[in-house]
Coordinates of all heavy atoms in Angstrom, one line a residue:
M1 N -23.7 -7.1 -0.6 CA -24.0 -5.9 0.3 C -25.4 -5.4 0.0 O -25.6 -4.9 -1.1 CB -22.8 -4.9 0.1 CG -23.1 -3.6 0.8 SD -21.7 -2.4 0.6 CE -20.5 -3.1 1.6
L2 N -26.3 -5.5 0.9 CA -27.6 -5.1 0.7 C -27.8 -3.7 0.5 O -28.7 -3.2 -0.2 CB -28.5 -5.6 1.9 CG -28.7 -7.1 2.0 CD1 -29.5 -7.4 3.3 CD2 -29.4 -7.6 0.8
E3 N -26.9 -2.8 1.0 CA -27.0 -1.4 0.8 C -27.0 -0.9 -0.6 O -27.5 0.1 -1.0 CB -26.0 -0.6 1.6 CG -26.2 -0.5 3.0 CD -25.0 0.3 3.7 OE1 -23.9 -0.3 3.8 OE2 -25.2 1.5 4.0
V4 N -26.3 -1.7 -1.4 CA -26.2 -1.3 -2.8 C -27.0 -2.2 -3.8 O -26.8 -2.1 -5.0 CB -24.7 -1.3 -3.3 CG1 -23.9 -0.1 -2.5 CG2 -24.0 -2.6 -3.1
T5 N -27.9 -3.0 -3.2 CA -28.7 -3.9 -4.1 C -30.0 -3.2 -4.2 O -30.7 -2.9 -3.2 CB -28.8 -5.3 -3.4 OG1 -27.4 -5.8 -3.2 CG2 -29.6 -6.2 -4.2
D6 N -30.5 -3.2 -5.5 CA -31.8 -2.6 -5.8 C -32.9 -3.7 -5.4 O -32.7 -4.9 -5.5 CB -31.9 -2.3 -7.2 CG -31.2 -1.0 -7.7 OD1 -30.7 -0.3 -6.8 OD2 -31.0 -0.9 -8.9
D7 N -34.0 -3.2 -5.0 CA -35.2 -4.0 -4.7 C -35.9 -4.3 -6.1 O -36.6 -3.4 -6.6 CB -36.1 -3.3 -3.8 CG -37.4 -4.1 -3.5 OD1 -37.6 -5.2 -4.1 OD2 -38.2 -3.7 -2.6
K8 N -35.6 -5.4 -6.6 CA -36.2 -5.8 -7.9 C -37.7 -5.9 -8.0 O -38.3 -5.9 -9.1 CB -35.6 -7.1 -8.5 CG -34.1 -7.1 -8.6 CD -33.6 -6.1 -9.7 CE -32.1 -6.3 -9.9 NZ -31.6 -5.4 -10.9
A9 N -38.3 -5.8 -6.9 CA -39.8 -5.8 -6.9 C -40.4 -4.4 -7.3 O -41.5 -4.3 -7.6 CB -40.4 -6.2 -5.5
L10 N -39.5 -3.4 -7.2 CA -39.9 -2.1 -7.6 C -39.7 -1.8 -9.1 O -38.8 -2.4 -9.7 CB -39.1 -1.0 -6.8 CG -39.2 -1.0 -5.3 CD1 -38.2 -0.1 -4.7 CD2 -40.7 -0.7 -4.9
P11 N -40.5 -0.9 -9.7 CA -40.2 -0.6 -11.1 C -38.9 0.0 -11.3 O -38.3 0.7 -10.4 CB -41.3 0.4 -11.4 CG -42.3 0.3 -10.3 CD -41.6 -0.3 -9.1
K12 N -38.2 -0.2 -12.5 CA -36.9 0.3 -12.7 C -36.7 1.8 -12.4 O -35.8 2.2 -11.8 CB -36.6 0.0 -14.2 CG -35.1 0.4 -14.5 CD -34.8 0.1 -16.0 CE -33.4 0.5 -16.4 NZ -33.1 0.1 -17.7
A13 N -37.7 2.6 -12.8 CA -37.6 4.0 -12.6 C -37.5 4.4 -11.2 O -36.8 5.3 -10.7 CB -38.7 4.8 -13.3
E14 N -38.3 3.6 -10.4 CA -38.3 3.9 -8.9 C -37.0 3.5 -8.3 O -36.4 4.2 -7.4 CB -39.5 3.2 -8.2 CG -39.6 3.3 -6.8 CD -39.8 4.8 -6.2 OE1 -40.0 5.7 -7.1 OE2 -39.7 4.9 -5.0
R15 N -36.5 2.3 -8.7 CA -35.1 1.9 -8.2 C -34.1 2.9 -8.5 O -33.3 3.2 -7.7 CB -34.8 0.5 -8.8 CG -35.6 -0.6 -8.4 CD -35.1 -2.0 -8.8 NE -34.6 -2.1 -10.1 CZ -35.2 -2.7 -11.2 NH1 -36.5 -3.1 -11.0 NH2 -34.7 -2.7 -12.3
K16 N -34.1 3.4 -9.7 CA -33.1 4.5 -10.1 C -33.3 5.7 -9.3 O -32.3 6.3 -8.8 CB -33.2 4.8 -11.6 CG -32.7 3.6 -12.5 CD -32.8 3.9 -13.9 CE -31.7 4.7 -14.3 NZ -30.8 4.2 -15.3
R17 N -34.5 6.1 -9.0 CA -34.8 7.3 -8.3 C -34.3 7.1 -6.8 O -33.7 8.0 -6.2 CB -36.3 7.6 -8.3 CG -36.7 8.9 -7.5 CD -38.1 9.1 -7.3 NE -38.6 8.2 -6.3 CZ -38.5 8.4 -5.0 NH1 -37.9 9.5 -4.6 NH2 -39.0 7.6 -4.1
L18 N -34.5 5.9 -6.3 CA -34.1 5.7 -4.9 C -32.6 5.7 -4.8 O -32.1 6.1 -3.7 CB -34.7 4.3 -4.4 CG -36.2 4.4 -4.1 CD1 -36.7 3.0 -3.8 CD2 -36.5 5.3 -3.0
Q19 N -31.9 5.3 -5.8 CA -30.4 5.3 -5.8 C -29.9 6.8 -5.6 O -29.0 7.0 -4.8 CB -29.8 4.7 -7.0 CG -29.7 3.2 -6.9 CD -28.7 2.7 -7.9 OE1 -27.6 3.2 -8.0 NE2 -29.1 1.6 -8.7
V20 N -30.6 7.6 -6.3 CA -30.2 9.1 -6.2 C -30.6 9.6 -4.8 O -29.7 10.2 -4.1 CB -30.9 9.9 -7.3 CG1 -30.7 11.4 -7.0 CG2 -30.5 9.5 -8.7
V21 N -31.7 9.3 -4.3 CA -32.2 9.8 -3.1 C -31.5 9.3 -1.9 O -31.2 10.0 -0.9 CB -33.7 9.5 -2.9 CG1 -34.2 9.8 -1.5 CG2 -34.6 10.3 -3.9
N22 N -31.1 8.0 -1.9 CA -30.6 7.3 -0.8 C -29.0 7.3 -0.7 O -28.4 6.9 0.2 CB -31.1 5.9 -0.7 CG -32.6 5.8 -0.5 OD1 -33.1 6.7 0.2 ND2 -33.2 4.7 -0.9
S23 N -28.4 7.7 -1.8 CA -26.9 7.5 -1.9 C -26.2 8.3 -0.8 O -25.2 7.8 -0.3 CB -26.4 8.1 -3.3 OG -26.7 9.4 -3.5
C24 N -26.7 9.4 -0.3 CA -26.0 10.1 0.7 C -26.1 9.4 2.1 O -25.2 9.7 2.9 CB -26.5 11.6 0.8 SG -28.2 11.7 1.3
G25 N -27.0 8.6 2.3 CA -27.2 8.0 3.6 C -26.7 6.6 3.7 O -26.8 6.0 4.8
I26 N -26.0 6.1 2.7 CA -25.4 4.7 2.9 C -24.0 4.8 3.5 O -23.4 5.8 3.7 CB -25.3 4.0 1.5 CG1 -24.5 4.8 0.5 CG2 -26.8 3.8 1.0 CD1 -24.4 4.1 -0.9
S27 N -23.5 3.6 4.0 CA -22.2 3.6 4.7 C -21.1 4.0 3.7 O -21.2 3.9 2.5 CB -22.0 2.1 5.2 OG -21.8 1.3 4.1
R28 N -19.9 4.3 4.3 CA -18.8 4.7 3.5 C -18.4 3.5 2.5 O -18.1 3.7 1.4 CB -17.6 5.0 4.4 CG -16.4 5.5 3.5 CD -15.3 6.0 4.4 NE -14.2 6.7 3.6 CZ -13.3 6.1 2.9 NH1 -13.2 4.8 2.9 NH2 -12.4 6.8 2.2
R29 N -18.4 2.3 3.1 CA -18.1 1.1 2.3 C -19.0 1.0 1.1 O -18.6 0.7 -0.1 CB -18.1 -0.1 3.1 CG -17.7 -1.4 2.4 CD -17.6 -2.5 3.4 NE -17.4 -3.7 2.7 CZ -17.7 -4.9 3.1 NH1 -18.3 -5.1 4.3 NH2 -17.5 -6.0 2.3
A30 N -20.3 1.2 1.3 CA -21.3 1.1 0.2 C -21.1 2.2 -0.8 O -21.2 2.0 -2.0 CB -22.7 1.1 0.8
K31 N -20.7 3.4 -0.3 CA -20.4 4.5 -1.2 C -19.3 4.2 -2.1 O -19.3 4.5 -3.3 CB -20.2 5.8 -0.4 CG -21.4 6.4 0.2 CD -21.1 7.6 1.1 CE -22.3 8.1 1.8 NZ -22.0 9.3 2.6
L32 N -18.2 3.5 -1.6 CA -17.1 3.1 -2.4 C -17.5 2.1 -3.5 O -17.0 2.2 -4.6 CB -15.9 2.6 -1.5 CG -15.3 3.6 -0.6 CD1 -14.3 2.9 0.4 CD2 -14.6 4.8 -1.3
V33 N -18.3 1.2 -3.1 CA -18.8 0.2 -4.0 C -19.6 0.9 -5.1 O -19.4 0.6 -6.3 CB -19.6 -0.9 -3.4 CG1 -20.3 -1.8 -4.4 CG2 -18.7 -1.8 -2.4
K34 N -20.4 1.8 -4.8 CA -21.3 2.4 -5.7 C -20.5 3.3 -6.7 O -20.7 3.3 -7.9 CB -22.3 3.3 -5.0 CG -23.4 3.8 -5.9 CD -24.6 4.3 -5.1 CE -25.4 3.2 -4.6 NZ -26.2 2.3 -5.5
L35 N -19.5 4.0 -6.1 CA -18.6 4.8 -7.0 C -17.8 4.0 -7.9 O -17.7 4.3 -9.1 CB -17.7 5.6 -6.0 CG -16.9 6.8 -6.5 CD1 -17.8 7.8 -7.1 CD2 -16.1 7.4 -5.4
A36 N -17.2 2.9 -7.5 CA -16.5 2.0 -8.4 C -17.4 1.4 -9.5 O -17.0 1.3 -10.6 CB -15.8 0.9 -7.6
D37 N -18.6 1.1 -9.1 CA -19.6 0.5 -10.0 C -19.9 1.5 -11.1 O -19.9 1.2 -12.3 CB -20.8 0.1 -9.3 CG -21.9 -0.5 -10.3 OD1 -21.6 -1.5 -11.0 OD2 -23.0 0.0 -10.3
K38 N -20.2 2.8 -10.7 CA -20.5 3.8 -11.7 C -19.3 4.1 -12.6 O -19.5 4.3 -13.8 CB -21.0 5.1 -11.0 CG -22.3 4.9 -10.2 CD -23.4 4.4 -11.0 CE -24.7 4.2 -10.2 NZ -25.1 2.8 -10.0
I39 N -18.1 4.1 -12.1 CA -16.9 4.3 -12.9 C -16.8 3.2 -14.0 O -16.7 3.5 -15.2 CB -15.6 4.3 -12.1 CG1 -15.6 5.5 -11.2 CG2 -14.4 4.2 -12.9 CD1 -14.5 5.5 -10.1
C40 N -17.0 2.0 -13.6 CA -16.9 0.8 -14.5 C -18.0 0.9 -15.6 O -17.8 0.7 -16.8 CB -17.0 -0.5 -13.8 SG -15.6 -0.9 -12.8
N41 N -19.2 1.3 -15.1 CA -20.3 1.4 -16.1 C -20.1 2.5 -17.1 O -20.4 2.2 -18.3 CB -21.7 1.5 -15.3 CG -22.1 0.3 -14.5 OD1 -21.5 -0.7 -14.7 ND2 -23.0 0.6 -13.6
L42 N -19.7 3.6 -16.7 CA -19.5 4.7 -17.6 C -18.3 4.4 -18.6 O -18.5 4.6 -19.8 CB -19.1 6.0 -16.9 CG -20.2 6.7 -16.0 CD1 -19.7 8.0 -15.5 CD2 -21.5 6.8 -16.7
R43 N -17.3 3.7 -18.1 CA -16.2 3.4 -19.0 C -16.7 2.4 -20.0 O -16.4 2.4 -21.2 CB -15.1 2.7 -18.2 CG -14.3 3.8 -17.4 CD -13.2 3.1 -16.6 NE -12.2 4.1 -16.1 CZ -11.2 3.8 -15.2 NH1 -11.1 2.5 -14.9 NH2 -10.4 4.7 -14.8
D44 N -17.5 1.3 -19.5 CA -18.0 0.3 -20.5 C -18.9 0.9 -21.5 O -18.8 0.6 -22.7 CB -18.8 -0.7 -19.7 CG -17.8 -1.7 -18.9 OD1 -16.6 -1.7 -19.1 OD2 -18.3 -2.4 -18.1
I45 N -19.8 1.8 -21.1 CA -20.7 2.5 -22.1 C -19.9 3.3 -23.1 O -20.3 3.3 -24.2 CB -21.8 3.3 -21.4 CG1 -22.7 2.4 -20.6 CG2 -22.6 4.2 -22.3 CD1 -23.7 3.0 -19.6
S46 N -18.9 4.0 -22.6 CA -18.1 4.8 -23.5 C -17.4 4.0 -24.6 O -17.3 4.3 -25.7 CB -17.1 5.6 -22.7 OG -17.7 6.6 -21.9
R47 N -16.8 2.9 -24.1 CA -16.0 2.0 -25.0 C -16.9 1.2 -25.9 O -16.6 1.0 -27.1 CB -15.2 1.0 -24.2 CG -14.0 1.7 -23.5 CD -13.2 0.6 -22.8 NE -12.3 1.3 -21.8 CZ -12.2 0.9 -20.6 NH1 -12.8 -0.2 -20.2 NH2 -11.4 1.6 -19.7
S48 N -17.9 0.6 -25.4 CA -18.8 -0.3 -26.2 C -20.2 -0.2 -25.6 O -20.6 -1.0 -24.7 CB -18.2 -1.7 -26.1 OG -19.0 -2.6 -26.8
P49 N -21.0 0.7 -26.1 CA -22.4 0.8 -25.6 C -23.1 -0.5 -25.8 O -22.9 -1.2 -26.7 CB -23.0 1.9 -26.5 CG -21.9 2.6 -27.1 CD -20.8 1.6 -27.2
P50 N -24.1 -0.8 -24.8 CA -24.9 -2.0 -24.9 C -25.6 -2.0 -26.2 O -26.1 -1.0 -26.7 CB -25.8 -1.9 -23.7 CG -25.0 -1.0 -22.7 CD -24.3 0.0 -23.6
T51 N -25.8 -3.2 -26.7 CA -26.5 -3.3 -28.0 C -27.9 -2.8 -27.8 O -28.6 -3.0 -26.8 CB -26.6 -4.9 -28.3 OG1 -25.3 -5.4 -28.4 CG2 -27.4 -5.1 -29.6
G52 N -28.3 -1.9 -28.7 CA -29.7 -1.4 -28.7 C -29.8 -0.1 -27.9 O -30.9 0.5 -27.9
W53 N -28.8 0.3 -27.3 CA -28.8 1.6 -26.5 C -28.6 2.8 -27.5 O -27.6 2.9 -28.1 CB -27.8 1.6 -25.4 CG -28.1 0.9 -24.2 CD1 -28.8 -0.2 -24.1 CD2 -27.8 1.4 -22.9 NE1 -29.0 -0.5 -22.7 CE2 -28.3 0.4 -21.9 CE3 -27.1 2.5 -22.3 CZ2 -28.2 0.5 -20.6 CZ3 -27.0 2.6 -20.9 CH2 -27.6 1.6 -20.1
S54 N -29.7 3.6 -27.5 CA -29.5 4.8 -28.3 C -28.6 5.8 -27.7 O -28.3 5.7 -26.5 CB -30.9 5.5 -28.5 OG -31.4 5.9 -27.2
L55 N -28.2 6.8 -28.4 CA -27.3 7.8 -27.9 C -28.1 8.5 -26.7 O -27.4 8.8 -25.7 CB -27.0 8.9 -29.0 CG -26.0 10.0 -28.6 CD1 -24.7 9.4 -28.1 CD2 -25.8 10.9 -29.9
E56 N -29.3 8.7 -26.8 CA -30.1 9.4 -25.8 C -30.1 8.5 -24.5 O -30.0 9.0 -23.4 CB -31.6 9.7 -26.3 CG -31.7 10.7 -27.3 CD -31.2 10.2 -28.7 OE1 -31.2 9.0 -29.0 OE2 -30.9 11.1 -29.5
R57 N -30.2 7.2 -24.7 CA -30.2 6.4 -23.5 C -28.9 6.4 -22.8 O -28.8 6.4 -21.6 CB -30.6 4.9 -23.9 CG -30.7 4.0 -22.6 CD -31.3 2.7 -23.0 NE -31.4 1.9 -21.8 CZ -31.8 0.6 -21.8 NH1 -32.1 0.0 -22.9 NH2 -31.8 -0.1 -20.7
Q58 N -27.8 6.4 -23.6 CA -26.4 6.5 -23.1 C -26.3 7.8 -22.3 O -25.8 7.8 -21.2 CB -25.4 6.4 -24.2 CG -25.4 5.1 -24.9 CD -24.5 5.1 -26.1 OE1 -23.3 5.5 -26.0 NE2 -25.0 4.7 -27.2
Q59 N -26.7 8.9 -22.9 CA -26.6 10.2 -22.2 C -27.4 10.2 -20.9 O -27.0 10.7 -19.9 CB -27.1 11.3 -23.1 CG -26.2 11.5 -24.3 CD -26.7 12.5 -25.3 OE1 -27.9 12.5 -25.6 NE2 -25.8 13.2 -25.9
A60 N -28.6 9.6 -21.0 CA -29.5 9.5 -19.8 C -28.8 8.8 -18.6 O -28.8 9.2 -17.5 CB -30.8 8.9 -20.1
Y61 N -28.1 7.7 -19.0 CA -27.4 6.9 -18.0 C -26.3 7.7 -17.4 O -26.1 7.8 -16.1 CB -26.8 5.6 -18.5 CG -26.2 4.8 -17.4 CD1 -26.9 3.8 -16.8 CD2 -24.9 5.0 -17.0 CE1 -26.4 3.1 -15.7 CE2 -24.3 4.3 -15.9 CZ -25.2 3.4 -15.2 OH -24.6 2.7 -14.2
F62 N -25.5 8.5 -18.2 CA -24.4 9.3 -17.7 C -25.0 10.4 -16.7 O -24.5 10.6 -15.6 CB -23.7 10.0 -18.8 CG -22.5 9.2 -19.3 CD1 -22.7 7.9 -19.9 CD2 -21.2 9.7 -19.2 CE1 -21.7 7.2 -20.4 CE2 -20.2 8.9 -19.8 CZ -20.4 7.7 -20.3
D63 N -26.1 11.0 -17.2 CA -26.8 12.0 -16.3 C -27.2 11.4 -14.9 O -27.0 12.0 -13.9 CB -28.0 12.6 -17.0 CG -27.5 13.5 -18.2 OD1 -26.4 13.8 -18.3 OD2 -28.4 13.7 -19.0
W64 N -27.8 10.3 -15.0 CA -28.3 9.6 -13.8 C -27.1 9.2 -12.9 O -27.1 9.4 -11.7 CB -29.1 8.4 -14.1 CG -29.5 7.5 -13.0 CD1 -30.4 7.7 -12.0 CD2 -28.8 6.3 -12.6 NE1 -30.3 6.7 -11.0 CE2 -29.4 5.8 -11.4 CE3 -27.8 5.5 -13.2 CZ2 -29.0 4.6 -10.8 CZ3 -27.5 4.3 -12.7 CH2 -28.0 3.9 -11.5
A65 N -26.0 8.6 -13.5 CA -24.9 8.2 -12.6 C -24.3 9.5 -12.0 O -23.9 9.4 -10.8 CB -23.8 7.6 -13.6
Q66 N -24.3 10.6 -12.7 CA -23.8 11.8 -12.1 C -24.6 12.3 -10.9 O -24.1 12.6 -9.8 CB -23.7 13.0 -13.1 CG -23.2 14.3 -12.6 CD -23.1 15.3 -13.6 OE1 -23.7 15.2 -14.7 NE2 -22.3 16.4 -13.4
A67 N -25.9 12.1 -11.0 CA -26.8 12.4 -9.9 C -26.6 11.5 -8.7 O -26.6 12.0 -7.5 CB -28.3 12.4 -10.4
V68 N -26.4 10.3 -8.9 CA -26.1 9.3 -7.8 C -24.8 9.7 -7.2 O -24.7 9.8 -5.9 CB -26.0 7.9 -8.4 CG1 -25.5 6.9 -7.2 CG2 -27.3 7.4 -8.9
V69 N -23.7 10.0 -7.9 CA -22.4 10.3 -7.3 C -22.4 11.6 -6.6 O -21.7 11.8 -5.6 CB -21.3 10.1 -8.4 CG1 -20.0 10.7 -7.9 CG2 -21.2 8.7 -8.8
E70 N -23.3 12.5 -7.0 CA -23.3 13.8 -6.4 C -23.6 13.6 -4.9 O -23.2 14.4 -4.0 CB -24.3 14.8 -7.0 CG -23.8 15.4 -8.3 CD -22.4 16.0 -8.2 OE1 -22.1 16.8 -7.3 OE2 -21.6 15.6 -9.1
G71 N -24.5 12.6 -4.6 CA -24.8 12.3 -3.2 C -23.8 11.7 -2.4 O -23.9 11.6 -1.1
I72 N -22.7 11.3 -3.0 CA -21.6 10.6 -2.2 C -20.3 11.4 -2.3 O -19.3 10.9 -1.9 CB -21.5 9.1 -2.6 CG1 -21.1 9.0 -4.1 CG2 -22.7 8.4 -2.2 CD1 -20.9 7.5 -4.5
R73 N -20.3 12.6 -2.9 CA -19.1 13.3 -3.0 C -18.5 13.5 -1.6 O -19.2 13.7 -0.6 CB -19.4 14.7 -3.6 CG -19.8 14.7 -5.1 CD -18.5 14.8 -6.0 NE -18.9 14.7 -7.4 CZ -18.1 14.4 -8.3 NH1 -16.8 14.2 -8.0 NH2 -18.5 14.3 -9.5
G74 N -17.1 13.5 -1.6 CA -16.4 13.7 -0.4 C -16.0 12.4 0.3 O -15.3 12.4 1.2
T75 N -16.4 11.3 -0.3 CA -16.1 10.0 0.2 C -14.7 9.6 -0.1 O -14.0 9.1 0.7 CB -17.1 8.9 -0.4 OG1 -18.4 9.3 0.0 CG2 -16.8 7.6 0.2
H76 N -14.3 9.8 -1.4 CA -12.9 9.4 -1.8 C -12.6 10.2 -3.0 O -12.9 9.9 -4.2 CB -13.0 7.9 -2.2 CG -11.6 7.2 -2.3 ND1 -10.8 7.5 -3.4 CD2 -11.0 6.3 -1.6 CE1 -9.7 6.8 -3.3 NE2 -9.8 6.1 -2.1
P77 N -11.9 11.3 -2.7 CA -11.5 12.3 -3.8 C -10.8 11.7 -5.0 O -11.1 12.0 -6.2 CB -10.7 13.3 -3.1 CG -11.1 13.3 -1.7 CD -11.5 11.9 -1.4
A78 N -10.0 10.7 -4.8 CA -9.2 10.1 -5.9 C -10.2 9.3 -6.8 O -10.1 9.4 -8.1 CB -8.1 9.2 -5.4
L79 N -11.1 8.5 -6.2 CA -12.1 7.8 -7.0 C -13.1 8.8 -7.7 O -13.5 8.5 -8.8 CB -12.9 6.8 -6.2 CG -12.2 5.5 -5.9 CD1 -13.1 4.6 -5.0 CD2 -11.8 4.7 -7.2
E80 N -13.4 9.8 -7.0 CA -14.3 10.8 -7.6 C -13.7 11.5 -8.8 O -14.3 11.8 -9.8 CB -14.7 11.8 -6.6 CG -15.6 11.2 -5.5 CD -15.6 12.0 -4.2 OE1 -15.4 13.3 -4.3 OE2 -15.9 11.4 -3.2
A81 N -12.3 11.7 -8.8 CA -11.6 12.2 -9.9 C -11.7 11.3 -11.1 O -11.8 11.7 -12.2 CB -10.2 12.6 -9.6
I82 N -11.5 10.0 -10.8 CA -11.6 9.0 -11.9 C -13.0 8.9 -12.5 O -13.2 8.9 -13.7 CB -11.2 7.6 -11.3 CG1 -9.7 7.6 -11.0 CG2 -11.5 6.5 -12.4 CD1 -9.2 6.4 -10.2
F83 N -14.0 9.1 -11.6 CA -15.4 9.1 -12.0 C -15.6 10.3 -13.0 O -16.2 10.2 -14.0 CB -16.4 9.2 -10.9 CG -17.8 9.4 -11.3 CD1 -18.6 8.4 -11.7 CD2 -18.3 10.7 -11.4 CE1 -19.9 8.6 -12.1 CE2 -19.6 10.9 -11.8 CZ -20.4 9.9 -12.2
D84 N -15.1 11.5 -12.5 CA -15.2 12.7 -13.3 C -14.5 12.6 -14.7 O -15.1 13.1 -15.7 CB -14.6 13.9 -12.6 CG -15.5 14.3 -11.4 OD1 -16.7 13.9 -11.3 OD2 -14.9 14.9 -10.5
E85 N -13.4 11.9 -14.8 CA -12.8 11.6 -16.1 C -13.7 10.7 -17.0 O -13.8 11.0 -18.1 CB -11.4 10.9 -15.8 CG -10.4 11.8 -15.2 CD -9.1 11.0 -14.9 OE1 -8.9 9.8 -15.3 OE2 -8.2 11.6 -14.2
A86 N -14.2 9.7 -16.4 CA -15.2 8.8 -17.1 C -16.4 9.6 -17.5 O -16.9 9.4 -18.7 CB -15.6 7.6 -16.3
L87 N -16.9 10.5 -16.7 CA -18.1 11.3 -17.0 C -17.8 12.2 -18.2 O -18.7 12.5 -19.0 CB -18.5 12.1 -15.8 CG -19.8 12.8 -15.9 CD1 -21.0 11.9 -16.0 CD2 -20.0 13.7 -14.6
A88 N -16.5 12.7 -18.3 CA -16.2 13.6 -19.3 C -16.3 13.0 -20.7 O -16.3 13.6 -21.7 CB -14.8 14.2 -19.1
R89 N -16.3 11.7 -20.8 CA -16.5 10.9 -22.0 C -17.9 10.7 -22.4 O -18.2 9.8 -23.2 CB -15.7 9.6 -21.9 CG -14.2 9.8 -21.7 CD -13.4 8.5 -21.8 NE -12.1 8.7 -21.6 CZ -11.5 8.6 -20.4 NH1 -12.2 8.2 -19.3 NH2 -10.2 8.7 -20.3
K90 N -18.8 11.5 -21.8 CA -20.2 11.4 -22.1 C -20.5 11.5 -23.6 O -19.9 12.3 -24.2 CB -21.0 12.5 -21.3 CG -22.5 12.5 -21.6 CD -23.1 13.7 -20.8 CE -24.6 13.7 -21.1 NZ -25.3 14.7 -20.4
P91 N -21.3 10.5 -24.1 CA -21.6 10.6 -25.5 C -22.3 11.9 -25.9 O -23.1 12.4 -25.1 CB -22.6 9.4 -25.7 CG -22.7 8.7 -24.4 CD -22.0 9.5 -23.4
L92 N -22.0 12.4 -27.0 CA -22.6 13.7 -27.4 C -23.4 13.5 -28.7 O -23.1 12.5 -29.5 CB -21.5 14.7 -27.7 CG -20.5 15.0 -26.6 CD1 -19.4 15.9 -27.0 CD2 -21.3 15.7 -25.4
H93 N -24.4 14.3 -28.9 CA -25.2 14.2 -30.1 C -24.3 14.5 -31.3 O -23.4 15.3 -31.2 CB -26.3 15.3 -30.1 CG -27.4 15.0 -29.2 ND1 -28.3 13.9 -29.4 CD2 -27.8 15.5 -28.0 CE1 -29.2 13.9 -28.5 NE2 -28.9 14.8 -27.6
S94 N -24.5 13.7 -32.3 CA -23.6 14.0 -33.5 C -24.4 14.7 -34.6 O -25.5 15.0 -34.5 CB -23.1 12.6 -34.1 OG -24.1 11.6 -34.0

């Protein structure tokens, strides 16, 4: 689905920015895919952070995922509740 595929020709920071900016304008189906993807990613990072990811990088991902999902709120309340549960497991500074 092209709507949820990043343009790899762009720098990573720009691709991430565009996901936040464009999330509200994509189709309902694309929003559902994006929501499910962010849920899976947050759960994976909480359970087993990627090798080499600092606590700060993990927190930044959670913050960014939250910004993306804010643009698609109202699409599927049940999935959004699951996302919020995953978001609540945000890594904290120790």
Side-chain angles (χ1 to χ4, degrees):
M1 174 179 285
L2 291 176
E3 282 183 283
V4 293
T5 302
D6 288 345
D7 180 352
K8 298 292 185 184
L10 298 173
K12 183 178 180 179
E14 179 63 6
R15 292 192 315 261
K16 290 180 78 119
R17 186 190 74 77
L18 287 173
Q19 278 198 47
V20 173
V21 170
N22 295 333
S23 63
C24 63
I26 59 179
S27 70
R28 183 175 193 281
R29 184 173 174 205
K31 289 176 182 178
L32 293 173
V33 169
K34 192 162 288 289
L35 196 54
D37 178 59
K38 298 300 179 249
I39 290 167
C40 290
N41 291 349
L42 294 186
R43 286 177 170 175
D44 287 347
I45 292 168
S46 292
R47 287 185 200 132
S48 180
T51 303
W53 277 39
S54 67
L55 185 58
E56 291 76 21
R57 184 170 181 188
Q58 293 172 52
Q59 291 172 326
Y61 186 90
F62 273 63
D63 292 342
W64 170 74
Q66 183 177 15
V68 172
V69 169
E70 288 308 312
I72 60 178
R73 289 269 177 199
T75 302
H76 194 289
L79 279 179
E80 291 161 27
I82 294 168
F83 173 83
D84 291 339
E85 289 173 14
L87 187 65
R89 295 186 183 95
K90 179 180 179 178
L92 303 173
H93 286 289
S94 36

